[in-house]
Amino acid sequence: TENAEGPAESDQRPENGGKKERPPGTYAIWAMEAVGATAAFVYYLHLYTDLLKPEVKERLTPEKYTPLTLVAKERLTHDTARFRFRVNRPRFDGDQEKLVDSVVEQGVWAVDVKDHAVQTFRTYTPVAYHVSESVDEDTGARHGHMDLVVKRYPSGSVSRFLHDTRVGDQVEMRGPILSWPFGNKNRSYRSIYMIAGGTGIAPMYQLIERHFASSGSGGDSADNGPIATELRLLYGSQSESDILYRRELDALARAHPDRLKIQYLVDRAPSSPPAAAEESSLLTGRPDLKTIRQFTDGFDKNTDIVLVCGPDPMLASVSGVRPINAGQGPLAGSLRELGFSASSVYKF
């Protein structure tokens, strides 16, 4: 036989059927390894993702209304207040944040504010929008805020609703919504003439602040475009005390004296003579034909544009009222009398 010369095989078999016994504690070691791996995975998810954290709420949403909390309310004049709302973003931007950024980066933007009691809304332009880069590790959110400046009108449903809102209340908003696209295109304008009245300063201030923030303190460079755009603002108010954001506007004008020119216009003369530094920038009167002609002196239809925003009576006098949800409407008022074309004027 094949094994005749080899050792004889034993007929005895191991009691466990030939299976090798595992060292004591093997299952305990496996359990500890599994627990360790799970803990490491959970730690990874907590550190590098927000899958284990609650959904970040109070985020800007262009496609639907979302509730935002009022965190501060400041009276600016007898009938106008600044409302600060909480705005959050997740640690890692998703498609929703990319959509928001794509709108904001295109130009002047606004939000729709809903009065849920009567199911109506009004569009307002934020004067400030900021989100921190630091992350709240408990929620995975980056906290920020958005400021609206709103005048209370006796017949204005949404404005009365906002002024009656208390800190801690939530208001439904939708946005951002693109109002006037410019993005880097504004570099192609030699001059932007802005005519504003009352809270109509909001889109102008957003434009001015963002323009200089994006171009830097050194002004426009060759990388930003061939033209250093000059901004000119004619801002009308009832009285000197009603001029909104004057401190901020004056600070920007001092920082950019060659590129930002501001002329304040008040219906009522100041009770005391203005300081020498303010005298040249504060005039008494209304934005009539003469004032608009002087303000737009040097306008070039090939390189410049006029922006207008304010209460309806002012718009009717300066450019014609913009119809609700019906485009720009025909150009009228002083600008038409002065020979401006509709393509050279934009009404907010």
Side-chain angles (χ1 to χ4, degrees), residues 77-79 151 235-243 246 264-274 282-287:
T77 70
H78 70 285
D79 60 4
K151 178 178 179 178
Y235 181 23
S237 304
Q238 294 182 2
S239 67
E240 189 174 11
S241 62
D242 291 316
I243 299 175
R246 184 175 187 179
Y264 299 109
L265 192 64
V266 294
D267 296 347
R268 300 188 295 272
S271 56
S272 58
L282 182 63
L283 299 178
T284 302
R286 293 178 177 273

Side-chain angles (χ1 to χ4, degrees), residues 119-347:
Q119 292 299 307
T120 188
F121 74 92
R122 183 180 171 114
T123 304
Y124 292 97
T125 303
V127 293
Y129 169 62
H130 173 74
V131 178
S132 174
E133 291 298 325
S134 61
V135 179
D136 182 341
E137 293 298 338
D138 292 332
T139 63
R142 290 178 285 153
H143 301 302
H145 65 266
M146 178 178 66
D147 293 351
L148 303 179
V149 173
V150 180
K151 178 178 179 178
R152 182 180 186 127
Y153 289 94
S155 59
S157 170
V158 179
S159 70
R160 287 186 287 110
F161 163 72
L162 281 174
H163 276 261
D164 291 338
T165 301
R166 299 178 180 180
V167 172
D169 291 346
Q170 290 191 320
V171 177
E172 291 187 76
M173 299 190 194
R174 176 179 60 192
I177 301 163
L178 188 63
S179 301
W180 181 57
F182 71 93
N184 288 330
K185 181 185 176 182
N186 71 314
R187 312 293 184 186
S188 65
Y189 292 116
R190 186 199 63 169
S191 296
I192 298 178
Y193 293 78
M194 297 170 281
I195 305 174
T199 54
I201 190 62
M204 312 307 185
Y205 182 77
Q206 186 192 111
L207 169 61
I208 294 170
E209 198 276 333
R210 288 183 55 207
H211 175 72
F212 290 120
S214 63
S215 61
S217 59
D220 288 347
S221 65
D223 294 336
N224 291 327
I227 299 176
T229 305
E230 179 187 53
L231 306 181
R232 292 177 172 267
L233 173 65
L234 178 65
Y235 181 23
S237 304
Q238 294 182 2
S239 67
E240 189 174 11
S241 62
D242 291 316
I243 299 175
L244 302 172
Y245 276 71
R246 184 175 187 179
R247 181 175 58 186
E248 293 84 353
L249 288 167
D250 287 345
L252 286 167
R254 288 192 299 270
H256 308 277
D258 297 330
R259 297 175 52 211
L260 177 60
K261 308 294 184 182
I262 300 176
Q263 185 73 67
Y264 299 109
L265 192 64
V266 294
D267 296 347
R268 300 188 295 272
S271 56
S272 58
E278 300 175 349
E279 187 173 2
S280 61
S281 65
L282 182 63
L283 299 178
T284 302
R286 293 178 177 273
D288 54 19
L289 185 66
K290 179 181 178 181
T291 302
I292 300 298
R293 178 187 288 115
Q294 293 175 342
F295 174 67
T296 57
D297 183 40
F299 179 88
D300 186 333
K301 66 179 182 179
N302 297 313
T303 60
D304 305 340
I305 191 169
V306 179
L307 309 178
V308 188
C309 187
D312 284 350
M314 188 207 85
L315 288 175
S317 173
V318 173
S319 61
V321 176
R322 177 179 178 175
I324 299 176
N325 299 325
Q328 289 285 294
L331 183 65
S334 297
L335 290 174
R336 181 179 178 181
E337 291 186 49
L338 291 171
F340 283 82
S341 64
S343 61
S344 295
V345 178
Y346 185 86
K347 312 170 196 175

